[in-house]
Amino acid sequence: HCWSSSGFRKFLAVAMDQLGPAAFSAACAVALALHAYQMSWRELPRSDLFTTHDDAFFGLTYTVSFWELLCGVAAGWLVFIFGHLCRRRTCCFLDCASISQTDPELKAAGIARIPDCLRCSKEMVVLWDEHYFTRLWCVYEVAMVQSIGNVPIRILPMDVYALVALSHLYAFCCMIMFLFMWQWLPEWWGFHAANLVASFPMYTLQAHAGRIFARLYAKLEEQFDSFDVRSAAVFSEADRDAIYKCIENLYDGSLDRFNDNVRTTLKESTMRRLTGQRALVPYSTLLLQKLPEIPFILTLLSTGIGLPFYFLVPFYLFGVTCCFGELDLA
């Protein structure tokens, strides 16, 4: 990662990458448990302020159950905040913290031992933004991994993960807005009006995110094509010659050979990994922006306790396909 990049975006990218599946599972499990309790045992307390009457179809009275949505999303957020406490065996090599920055001899010895640390690594995770390939230390670590050959490089575009997190939060707010509006707008048209008003900003953000994804993909490809290690910046110019020498030792005495390796081999493997899944992030990460949706669907189902069986079954099927395919596969 580049030290000048936003620390909060780095946290978002790592947390969503490492804890995302656990957070999604926790949200679904809590919401499903609350829904099952209400459907099979008894209703949890609800407020009469959020009650509406359906006289047109089933003649029922609905009182919104916020339990599934609020508790499910809260469970997911708690995993994001505290989940790292359960991952204490996951270790990372962080150059600035592992290499002396004050003693020249220890610093040179630490730089020389970076390849040994990388050989023991399961993978190299790159927290990528537009500054990454402009920093010499970042480029040097890429050179080390490329020379080893058997350590995969996985790129996490931080801006993409930030947009996924924003979409997650935006979706939650839109769902709360829908539940408020639905109860206060009368008859069947109130449901559809609330749905339209709440969904419009969410889908607008999705369209904006798609545009940002495309721009970042093009920027990453451009950086690979124009890559030159000699143009990379470094905080201390005293480190430049030492890094150049290390790279030359790895690539038969030629910086140009390393440049060609980045422009061809690294670019090909990285872009294939991204385009092979038709997205800049894995499907499991895209699910995170839909984390509130399963709790939301279960909230609607708990609100509609008393609806006929022939109505509930299609609604359950709709909820599954909507949550796992609507935006994630679009």
Side-chain angles (χ1 to χ4, degrees):
H1 67 100
C2 180
W3 282 100
S4 62
S5 302
S6 166
F8 182 67
R9 288 192 302 157
K10 294 173 187 176
F11 167 78
L12 280 179
V14 174
M16 295 177 70
D17 179 68
Q18 296 293 317
L19 302 174
F24 184 82
S25 300
C28 294
V30 170
L32 189 60
L34 290 170
H35 174 67
Y37 178 83
Q38 295 199 85
M39 294 294 285
S40 61
W41 188 249
R42 63 180 179 181
E43 295 183 15
L44 294 170
R46 306 181 186 188
S47 173
D48 292 336
L49 293 175
F50 301 97
T51 299
T52 188
H53 303 281
D54 174 21
D55 298 323
F57 295 97
F58 302 111
L60 298 174
T61 298
Y62 307 120
T63 303
V64 173
S65 168
F66 287 95
W67 292 99
E68 289 83 357
L69 179 58
L70 297 181
C71 294
V73 172
W77 289 353
L78 286 174
V79 171
F80 279 129
I81 296 172
F82 299 108
H84 65 281
L85 299 176
C86 300
R87 300 290 301 271
R88 294 182 181 273
R89 293 187 178 182
T90 301
C91 301
C92 300
F93 168 72
L94 192 61
D95 52 6
C96 189
S98 304
I99 298 175
S100 174
Q101 302 296 305
T102 56
D103 188 316
E105 293 185 3
L106 289 177
K107 186 174 185 178
I111 294 173
R113 292 297 182 183
I114 287 180
D116 296 329
C117 295
L118 295 177
R119 287 190 186 96
C120 299
S121 301
K122 179 181 178 182
E123 63 179 355
M124 178 179 180
V125 177
V126 174
L127 302 179
W128 178 82
D129 63 2
E130 297 180 2
H131 304 291
Y132 183 81
F133 284 109
T134 67
R135 305 302 302 179
L136 188 56
W137 274 108
C138 299
V139 168
Y140 173 62
E141 291 173 350
V142 170
M144 295 291 106
V145 174
Q146 284 289 95
S147 67
I148 295 171
N150 61 350
V151 178
I153 299 177
R154 192 157 58 89
I155 293 181
L156 306 183
M158 291 191 294
D159 286 341
V160 173
Y161 280 83
L163 280 171
V164 170
L166 180 61
S167 298
H168 167 120
L169 183 61
Y170 217 58
F172 174 71
C173 293
C174 289
M175 291 166 188
I176 292 292
M177 181 170 66
F178 167 82
L179 293 175
F180 272 73
M181 294 180 62
W182 174 33
Q183 302 305 306
W184 297 338
L185 295 177
E187 301 299 334
W188 61 269
W189 65 267
F191 177 89
H192 296 290
N195 185 41
L196 177 63
V197 172
S199 299
F200 182 78
M202 185 169 64
Y203 285 105
T204 301
L205 178 63
Q206 291 296 326
H208 175 69
R211 180 182 179 185
I212 298 297
F213 291 175
R215 182 184 66 82
L216 291 174
Y217 181 89
K219 182 64 177 180
L220 179 58
E221 192 170 30
E222 177 189 342
Q223 285 193 344
F224 277 127
D225 291 335
S226 60
F227 177 79
D228 188 346
V229 65
R230 297 180 182 87
S231 64
V234 64
F235 178 77
S236 174
E237 286 296 327
D239 296 337
R240 185 178 295 275
D241 291 338
I243 295 175
Y244 282 173
K245 184 176 180 180
C246 290
I247 294 177
E248 288 173 345
N249 291 337
L250 294 170
Y251 290 88
D252 300 328
S254 173
L255 295 178
D256 291 327
R257 186 182 295 274
F258 170 60
N259 287 338
D260 291 338
N261 185 277
V262 171
R263 295 169 187 167
T264 54
T265 305
L266 180 59
K267 176 188 174 182
E268 181 181 354
S269 62
T270 300
M271 305 311 285
R272 187 192 309 117
R273 188 176 297 113
L274 296 179
T275 57
Q277 61 191 19
R278 300 182 63 187
L280 288 178
V281 293
Y283 174 75
S284 58
T285 302
L286 287 177
L287 282 177
L288 295 181
Q289 67 179 329
K290 303 292 289 295
L291 182 148
E293 190 142 342
I294 286 184
F296 174 69
I297 295 293
L298 294 173
T299 277
L300 293 180
L301 287 165
S302 292
T303 299
I305 289 179
L307 288 170
F309 180 76
Y310 66 82
F311 181 86
L312 290 176
V313 170
F315 204 95
Y316 278 111
L317 294 175
F318 161 77
V320 172
T321 55
C322 179
C323 294
F324 292 96
E326 178 193 4
L327 295 180
D328 313 297
L329 299 179

